[in-house]
């Protein structure tokens, strides 16, 4: 049986899960849609409220991979 891996973005200071994705690409896409990357230092939308950590999680054990 193949384990499904869950990808999450966690706020560094709060520890809250901010985004979830089925793969790393969909996770990054969600983040970019909500908080677009600035171009030449000029914001194109709201900025991330805090730094984030990206993790891959085994949903059966809950441990980081």
């Amino acid at each position: 049986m193949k384990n499904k891996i869950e990808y999450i973005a966690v706020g560094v200071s709060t520890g809250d899960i901010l985004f979830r994705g089925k793969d790393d690409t969909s996770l990054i896409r969600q983040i970019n849609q909500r908080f677009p990357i600035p171009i030449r230092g000029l914001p194109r939308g709201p900025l991330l409220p805090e730094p984030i950590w990206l993790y891959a999680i085994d949903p059966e054990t809950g441990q980081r991979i």
Side-chain angles (χ1 to χ4, degrees):
M1 182 175 155
K2 184 177 177 184
N3 283 344
K4 298 278 184 180
I5 297 174
E6 181 179 3
Y7 294 84
I8 60 173
V10 177
V12 171
S13 62
T14 61
D16 294 339
I17 296 175
L18 303 174
F19 297 96
R20 291 180 186 268
K22 61 181 168 63
D23 57 31
D24 55 347
T25 305
S26 69
L27 179 66
I28 297 299
R29 188 176 299 123
Q30 285 180 49
I31 296 168
N32 279 338
Q33 285 175 350
R34 180 120 184 251
F35 302 102
I37 297 173
I39 296 178
R40 296 184 186 147
L42 300 173
R44 298 185 302 149
L47 300 175
L48 277 167
E50 63 177 318
I52 58 174
W53 290 106
L54 303 178
Y55 293 116
I57 302 290
D58 178 350
E60 289 182 11
T61 64
Q63 293 187 343
R64 290 184 288 176
I65 299 173

